[in-house]
Amino acid sequence: QVVSGPSSVFVPPIRSHLPLDAMPAGMGINGFGRIGRLVFRAAMGNPDVCVKAVNDPFMDLKYM
């Protein structure tokens, strides 16, 4: 697919080479502030993502 315009760019078609029953993508979150918590909530709602670790050295375990 070619996008016409002053700066035409070739965009290849999306082809998934993974089987439908592929394992979820592993993910680590570095920091559990405002953005880290938003990413964590979004990842928990997505069956294709598995959160493996959360790293925040300044946060108490009771808060997490």
Side-chain angles (χ1 to χ4, degrees):
Q1 177 182 9
V2 177
V3 180
S4 62
S7 60
S8 295
V9 177
F10 175 74
V11 180
I14 298 172
R15 292 188 187 113
S16 177
H17 63 281
L18 298 174
L20 294 177
D21 60 346
M23 292 178 54
M27 164 192 248
I29 298 175
N30 191 17
F32 205 58
R34 181 174 53 96
I35 303 298
R37 287 191 304 268
L38 287 172
V39 170
F40 181 77
R41 287 185 199 129
M44 290 293 96
N46 186 345
D48 295 330
V49 177
C50 178
V51 176
K52 300 286 186 175
V54 176
N55 175 24
D56 195 333
F58 303 110
M59 189 166 294
D60 189 16
L61 285 177
K62 293 179 184 177
Y63 181 75
M64 291 179 89

